[in-house]
Amino acid sequence: MPHRPKADPVGMDEDSHWDLLHQCLTDTRLDLDVRAAGAVLLLFGQHLTRIAALPTTALTTGDETTFLTLSRTPIPLPPPWPTS
């Protein structure tokens, strides 16, 4: 049987990407774990299986900065957005 090539992946346009990220960061109707996983996916391109496997120790705080560690690299996260 001949090998059937995979279709080219279909990406999303930049506006849709930013709209989804904004929703993950601000839409309190979504569960927090869904919002967090969506933001990590959209910001860092992590596969959902890697996001689901992140230990709670991947998120740390030091010197008033929060870090997300993916693999071995701690990434400083921006401070929370002001509400209202």
Side-chain angles (χ1 to χ4, degrees):
M1 176 174 260
H3 175 70
R4 183 174 157 199
K6 292 183 180 179
D8 288 334
V10 177
M12 71 174 69
D13 63 82
E14 189 173 343
D15 287 339
S16 296
H17 183 98
W18 289 114
D19 288 344
L20 285 173
L21 179 58
H22 183 263
Q23 183 178 9
C24 289
L25 297 174
T26 62
D27 190 346
T28 57
R29 296 171 296 174
L30 297 173
D31 291 337
L32 185 57
D33 58 343
V34 172
R35 294 172 55 200
V40 171
L41 172 82
L42 292 163
L43 286 170
F44 304 110
Q46 295 295 302
H47 291 277
L48 292 177
T49 52
R50 291 196 67 197
I51 295 169
L54 283 173
T56 57
T57 57
L59 200 58
T60 56
T61 303
D63 296 330
E64 299 182 22
T65 302
T66 302
F67 296 89
L68 175 63
T69 301
L70 301 173
S71 188
R72 294 187 177 111
T73 306
I75 302 165
L77 301 177
W81 289 8
T83 55
S84 75

